[in-house]
Amino acid sequence: MGAALCLLSAACFGAMAIFGKLAYDAGVSPEALLLVRFTLAAVLLGIVVLVRPGLRRAASGPPRQGAAGRPAMTRGRVLVIAVGLGAIGYATQASLFFSALRLMDASLLALILYTYPVMVTVTAVLLGRDRLTLARAAALAAASGGTLLVLLGAGGMSFHPLGALLAFASAVTYTVYILVADTVVHRLAPVVLSALVMTGAAGTLTARALLAGGVDLGFGASGWFWLAAIAVVSTVVAMLTFFAGLKRIGPSAAAILSTFEPVVTAALAALVLGESLTPVQLAGGALVLSCVVVLQLRRQDRGPRPAPDLPDPENRRGLESAREDRTEPVGLAP
């Protein structure tokens, strides 16, 4: 289920490039796109939190303790991190991405951005969050190689030094975002975490728009339609499924499966925009999909991923200490 959720998230995120291009054609500016995207997503998720109280609770599980003997996070700290993920992490990553998109081809931008699965995997291993098994290394190599083929198969690409720097900064920011999100994803229900992230991002972008003198929202109905598609499909659904998948399979596997995103983008570009898929791109897509099979077979052999920060189940003293010091999962239930 975790792999399927991450693939659905990647498909939704992959559609955003197409929706964005159609929105730009309808007269929407990048600043308006970002502001409306996050604000509308925050409102929609807030409504879901209010009308579906059953979705507010984080899944119950064994008692948690901070890693390496550190105390568990307090409720306030979890909420601050969740809002900060949007206000600092997501808002910064999205701004860097769309700034780079103004200066360079989308294919080269995506090629640089998709260095983040390697960075996430290596960092997660160094932090002790994941193990670099042979199967995971093979999946990462297949996903990275497939992404390279999909993007290089798009044809000639123009290089812009500043654009490349912004793209790499976007990849680094997204790496940090995923790794920080992994520390709170087990303590918050996906809908609550997504709502807090979107609220934080919307707040940052609203403040920036006010400081810049406002954002032009005078585009037509078609522009609002594509913005709604970005907010609902490529933000709300994409984030909910990503956090739910991240919770089940961990940061490195989630990042590897996210390489399915440019495959979806290339396929939709062929269907919607009339672009053609080359044999090289088709081979790259097949290579990316092969990593899904490898990860899924490996996961069936190992069983479900345990929640992070759990004490050793054979250590009775650790369990007793965890019961005494545990912090309840934050679900904002009434």
Side-chain angles (χ1 to χ4, degrees):
M1 177 62 77
L5 288 168
C6 287
L7 287 176
L8 177 57
S9 173
C12 292
F13 277 127
M16 182 168 62
I18 308 302
F19 295 152
K21 183 174 180 59
L22 294 171
Y24 287 159
D25 291 343
V28 179
S29 68
E31 293 80 10
L33 187 153
L34 287 172
L35 179 61
V36 174
R37 173 196 179 191
F38 289 119
T39 302
L40 183 56
V43 171
L44 292 173
L45 287 166
I47 292 173
V48 172
V49 170
L50 290 175
V51 302
R52 294 292 303 276
L55 297 178
R56 302 177 197 173
R57 290 190 178 277
S60 59
R64 291 178 173 85
Q65 187 182 24
R70 292 177 298 176
M73 288 187 187
T74 63
R75 180 187 299 261
R77 184 180 178 187
V78 171
L79 296 178
V80 168
I81 291 175
V83 174
L85 279 169
I88 301 174
Y90 214 159
T92 300
Q93 189 274 334
S95 298
L96 289 169
F97 178 87
F98 283 103
S99 296
L101 189 59
R102 284 180 166 179
L103 301 174
M104 62 194 304
D105 291 341
S107 296
L108 182 57
L109 170 58
L111 184 60
I112 298 173
L113 176 65
Y114 276 88
T115 58
Y116 82 81
V118 177
M119 291 190 280
V120 169
T121 300
V122 172
T123 308
V125 170
L126 293 176
L127 293 175
R129 307 241 193 115
D130 275 324
R131 292 184 302 155
L132 188 59
T133 62
L134 181 60
R136 183 163 289 167
L140 178 61
S144 300
T147 302
L148 181 65
L149 291 176
V150 168
L151 298 173
L152 290 180
M157 295 180 288
S158 61
F159 180 79
H160 191 288
L162 178 58
L165 182 62
L166 291 171
F168 183 72
S170 177
V172 172
T173 304
Y174 199 49
T175 297
V176 175
Y177 169 85
I178 290 175
L179 293 170
V180 174
D182 187 53
T183 66
V184 297
V185 73
H186 286 270
R187 298 176 170 91
L188 286 166
V191 65
V192 176
L193 177 56
S194 298
L196 292 172
V197 170
M198 288 297 98
T199 300
T204 295
L205 292 167
T206 299
R208 189 172 71 181
L210 292 175
L211 291 174
V215 171
D216 181 15
L217 300 177
F219 41 85
S222 61
W224 285 104
F225 174 82
W226 295 119
L227 287 181
I230 291 173
V232 175
V233 177
S234 299
T235 306
V236 173
V237 176
M239 285 198 65
L240 287 174
T241 51
F242 179 77
F243 284 140
L246 175 65
K247 180 177 180 178
R248 289 168 171 81
I249 64 176
S252 60
I256 293 170
L257 291 172
S258 294
T259 57
F260 187 55
E261 179 181 331
V263 177
V264 173
T265 301
L268 288 177
L271 291 174
V272 177
L273 303 178
E275 299 179 9
S276 59
L277 287 174
T278 66
V280 172
Q281 287 180 301
L282 292 173
L287 196 55
V288 170
L289 290 176
S290 71
C291 82
V292 180
V293 177
V294 172
L295 288 174
Q296 191 62 22
L297 290 176
R298 181 63 178 167
R299 179 152 185 82
Q300 290 174 355
D301 292 339
R302 294 178 57 193
R305 177 195 183 223
D309 302 340
L310 289 176
D312 186 345
E314 296 180 359
N315 187 334
R316 182 169 297 180
R317 290 185 59 189
L319 284 172
E320 292 173 352
S321 174
R323 289 191 185 100
E324 294 173 358
D325 299 333
R326 69 185 179 188
T327 299
E328 293 296 325
V330 181
L332 303 187

